[in-house]
Amino acid sequence: KALASQAEMEPAVDVGLEAMKLVGVKMPSRNVLMHTLFDLAKTRCLMKRKCVEDLLQLHPIEERHMIPALRLMNLLCTISASGKRTLCPLICFKSVQLNMKYGMTEGMPASIALYGALLLRFGFSITEAAKYSEIATTLQQRLGYKETIANVTMLTYGIVFPFTKPLSDCLKPLPDACMAGLEYGDVMHGLRCLSCYAWITYHSAGQPLPQFVNTIHRFSKYSIEYNSTSTLLALKVFVQVCANFMGSTGASPNPANLVGDHFDLDAVSSESLCKTHMLLLEQTQLMQIILGYFFGDYEKAWIASENLRATGATSFAGLMFP
């Protein structure tokens, strides 16, 4: 968690994989795509006819050695989405399978929520993805696992439900989930709820930009307090974009550039932080496309789109625009 909070995603994944070996769970180092496709098919068959009531009947896990393994897997699912992204789906599918085999754990709602988000990313129907998001949310509420509120809310209301529910309905749970994450020790997912909130709010109609900026400034203090550099930068991106649109203090002389007093894309994109934190890298390029297109600098928008394509767009952009 300490490495992830400083955007050292690949080292964080490596540490997690070594820890998983110590508790008896090994991940394949070769033919990852083949294993992923196999486990996707296996998990879909396993979960296809399951409903909330079926999962509520699962007994609590009894094999004590599997509890730390599943906790590690839930943490690695999120970290690997920004680090070694090819491992994220495989870890998720393994986690769902182990929960179904050994019994219910507090991390199962989060595993099912991520499973739904990955189905959306892999091109399956939004209806199927939303089904598992609804299951995960219901399980979370009925079982009362407070430690995973932020994770489940981020994956459901932050990623899947914006495609199936009014955006205003998706916004309401995210700040509360952030507070729950900070209160119950899930700081990483709590702060990511803020990033999702900023993203959805920015693209939803009805909130004036000055009000949005004030909200982001209020949330930024949590990123500073908990030393989450990546989340703080992600929030600053939105502040800079809004400043450019409004022509307010800190705006760029050329509003088509994602450069100014709040955030400087030219300076940050060359740093190791953006290179290791793919979510942030993709977010900045998406925002540069929006600014370039809106202010008529189509060349800059095209360059940003090429940079985005070069990243593979399999995490932030890939989930938001499947």
Side-chain angles (χ1 to χ4, degrees), residues 198 202 209 212-218 220 232-252 258 260-263 283 287 291:
Y202 177 78
L209 288 181
F212 172 64
V213 171
N214 289 335
T215 302
I216 296 303
H217 282 312
R218 189 172 74 251
S220 295
L232 182 61
L233 275 177
L235 295 177
K236 285 183 176 180
V237 172
F238 290 106
V239 175
Q240 187 61 58
V241 171
C242 291
N244 284 15
F245 275 125
M246 296 185 296
S248 58
T249 303
S252 171
L258 186 53
D261 293 347
H262 306 289
F263 184 85
Q283 178 194 353
M287 290 303 184
L291 286 176

Side-chain angles (χ1 to χ4, degrees), residues 42-55:
K42 183 178 178 180
T43 307
R44 286 194 79 209
C45 290
L46 184 65
M47 298 294 293
K48 191 172 184 179
R49 301 185 185 279
K50 300 297 182 184
C51 64
V52 172
E53 298 304 326
D54 294 327
L55 298 180

Side-chain angles (χ1 to χ4, degrees), residues 169-213:
D169 292 346
C170 297
L171 288 173
K172 295 175 183 177
L174 289 167
D176 292 338
C178 170
M179 294 296 98
L182 300 183
E183 181 179 355
Y184 296 110
D186 190 5
V187 175
M188 180 172 61
H189 292 118
L191 294 177
R192 289 196 175 185
C193 283
L194 295 185
S195 295
C196 291
Y197 179 88
W199 176 257
I200 296 171
T201 304
Y202 177 78
H203 288 284
S204 63
Q207 187 175 61
L209 288 181
Q211 180 181 338
F212 172 64
V213 171

Side-chain angles (χ1 to χ4, degrees), residues 2-21:
L3 288 170
S5 69
Q6 295 301 309
E8 297 290 339
M9 298 303 181
E10 288 199 16
V13 173
D14 291 336
V15 170
L17 292 175
E18 288 300 317
M20 283 175 59
K21 290 180 183 179

Side-chain angles (χ1 to χ4, degrees), residues 87-266:
L87 285 176
C88 177
L90 183 57
I91 296 171
C92 173
F93 301 149
K94 293 285 189 186
S95 177
V96 173
Q97 293 167 23
L98 289 173
N99 271 291
M100 294 299 294
K101 179 178 179 180
Y102 290 105
M104 178 70 68
T105 65
E106 71 274 8
M108 189 170 187
S111 296
I112 295 175
L114 179 57
Y115 173 62
L118 288 171
L119 289 178
L120 186 66
R121 173 66 187 95
F122 289 160
F124 293 98
S125 71
I126 293 177
T127 302
E128 183 177 1
K131 168 191 170 183
Y132 294 108
S133 293
E134 293 285 2
I135 289 175
T137 302
T138 304
L139 281 177
Q140 176 68 52
Q141 293 171 349
R142 292 176 64 173
L143 295 173
Y145 293 139
K146 296 179 180 179
E147 293 79 3
T148 54
I149 290 175
N151 195 1
V152 172
T153 305
M154 177 196 73
L155 292 166
T156 54
Y157 286 95
I159 293 177
V160 176
F161 287 155
F163 293 98
T164 63
K165 297 178 182 289
L167 292 181
S168 58
D169 292 346
C170 297
L171 288 173
K172 295 175 183 177
L174 289 167
D176 292 338
C178 170
M179 294 296 98
L182 300 183
E183 181 179 355
Y184 296 110
D186 190 5
V187 175
M188 180 172 61
H189 292 118
L191 294 177
R192 289 196 175 185
C193 283
L194 295 185
S195 295
C196 291
Y197 179 88
W199 176 257
I200 296 171
T201 304
Y202 177 78
H203 288 284
S204 63
Q207 187 175 61
L209 288 181
Q211 180 181 338
F212 172 64
V213 171
N214 289 335
T215 302
I216 296 303
H217 282 312
R218 189 172 74 251
F219 285 155
S220 295
K221 68 180 182 180
Y222 298 117
S223 299
I224 297 171
E225 181 180 352
Y226 289 92
N227 197 28
S228 178
T229 308
S230 57
T231 303
L232 182 61
L233 275 177
L235 295 177
K236 285 183 176 180
V237 172
F238 290 106
V239 175
Q240 187 61 58
V241 171
C242 291
N244 284 15
F245 275 125
M246 296 185 296
S248 58
T249 303
S252 171
N254 177 5
N257 288 338
L258 186 53
V259 173
D261 293 347
H262 306 289
F263 184 85
D264 187 340
L265 177 60
D266 295 336

